[in-house]
Amino acid sequence: MPEGATALEIPSDRPVFLTSLSYGGGPPAATAVFLPRETLTVTGPPATISVYVNFVLDPELEHYWRRLAYAYITPPEAPCRADPGPFIRRVFRTLALDLPQNFELLPPEHGADMAVRFRTPDFREAALLRQPFVLDGVTVKLLRDGETPDTIWVSSDYLVHAALRDYPVEQRTEEGIRWNCCRFGYVREIDPACFAAPDLATVRVVLELEHPREIPHELRIDYNEDDGPTSVVPVEIVSVWHHSHSYDANGQYVPLFHPPVAAA
């Protein structure tokens, strides 16, 4: 912890696990394992999703997200919700025939009825500007990532020193670590020693977030393969403190970690 900071309580009511789609879309890590199907979901009410995105995405990933929109159909009892794809295509052919029709329809996320991937970010923005789409008394509303009703934009009052055990080598880049942690915290810094350690066993990070209870006991990295292997990363909270102790009088962040000392 920073000098002068008071150690705050480490919460016990943390999520059992959170899942992150693997960074870069590569093949599963060599250490990934197959998990029993009954362990892949957590029972209970649907949880909202906190996303910490105040870092620069890889340009290719940023381009991907800027092409996506999430389609919500109302009213809830509309029959087309049982098979929304054909209806969404009919909406565009009827109400926006001048727009490119070569978008892709993907499985829904964020509580949407369907995800729509446009060929370019400009095509997505053009479609958003043409809203609302109303056909046969049914409305299709498109939302960008980060605008969906299950996503919460939060304050960041706490800093947490966390240790990510058994973190896969294939995801061990600064961009990959930031991406895989964004469900539960903004990675303020990464211990540079984790990149040079001979066993690459643990990644240590400082996370800035709304509350440490957001941090799961396990981070599960999903490689987007049906019934495929998953990287299971145990997450240990080492210490918690108020964020004010990590900023100087000019509002600049003061790092906790330091570069490894070179051997003489």
Side-chain angles (χ1 to χ4, degrees):
M1 286 196 311
E3 184 177 353
T6 300
L8 303 179
E9 181 180 1
I10 296 176
S12 58
D13 57 339
R14 296 157 54 197
V16 175
F17 68 88
L18 287 176
T19 301
S20 170
L21 187 63
S22 65
Y23 178 81
T31 55
V33 297
F34 288 90
L35 298 175
R37 182 175 295 275
E38 62 269 18
T39 70
L40 299 179
T41 58
V42 176
T43 58
T48 54
I49 299 175
S50 297
V51 182
Y52 293 82
V53 293
N54 49 338
F55 60 87
V56 178
L57 286 175
D58 175 271
E60 184 175 342
L61 278 172
E62 183 180 13
H63 183 262
Y64 175 85
W65 291 116
R66 289 177 59 214
R67 292 162 54 202
L68 275 181
Y70 301 96
Y72 295 81
I73 296 174
T74 54
E77 63 273 13
C80 62
R81 294 190 68 211
D83 185 16
F87 182 75
I88 290 173
R89 290 201 179 277
R90 187 160 69 89
V91 164
F92 272 81
R93 288 196 300 267
T94 304
L95 303 177
L97 190 57
D98 58 313
L99 296 180
Q101 304 289 311
N102 57 350
F103 52 82
E104 299 175 73
L105 296 177
L106 305 176
E109 298 179 67
H110 300 295
D113 292 284
M114 186 69 69
V116 184
R117 182 166 63 194
F118 294 90
R119 293 298 180 184
T120 71
D122 288 342
F123 291 164
R124 182 192 73 170
E125 294 305 309
L128 291 167
L129 289 173
R130 294 292 296 274
Q131 300 190 104
F133 297 113
V134 182
L135 182 65
D136 299 337
V138 175
T139 299
V140 176
K141 177 71 173 177
L142 298 177
L143 296 177
R144 302 176 182 86
D145 193 64
E147 298 175 340
T148 58
D150 64 342
T151 300
I152 301 174
W153 298 90
V154 299
S155 60
S156 301
D157 294 331
Y158 294 89
L159 286 171
V160 173
H161 174 193
L164 311 178
R165 310 288 185 189
D166 304 325
Y167 193 91
V169 174
E170 292 85 348
Q171 297 284 307
R172 194 180 295 261
T173 64
E174 181 173 346
E175 295 83 2
I177 294 168
R178 291 180 180 276
W179 171 266
N180 288 322
C181 290
C182 74
R183 282 286 307 276
F184 51 89
Y186 165 51
V187 177
R188 174 54 68 182
E189 60 173 316
I190 304 168
D191 185 354
C194 78
F195 298 109
D199 60 355
L200 297 176
T202 300
V203 169
R204 297 184 180 274
V205 296
V206 173
L207 300 166
E208 192 164 2
L209 68 168
E210 184 179 31
H211 197 282
R213 70 168 58 94
E214 297 175 75
I215 299 176
H217 289 278
E218 285 182 357
L219 165 65
R220 297 184 178 181
I221 301 175
D222 178 15
Y223 296 94
N224 204 24
E225 294 187 354
D226 292 339
D227 296 323
T230 300
S231 288
V232 178
V233 180
V235 183
E236 174 194 353
I237 295 181
V238 179
S239 55
V240 180
W241 64 95
H242 193 267
H243 72 91
S244 59
H245 295 287
S246 289
Y247 290 87
D248 62 20
N250 297 317
Q252 298 297 307
Y253 177 75
V254 180
L256 180 71
F257 304 125
H258 302 285
V261 178

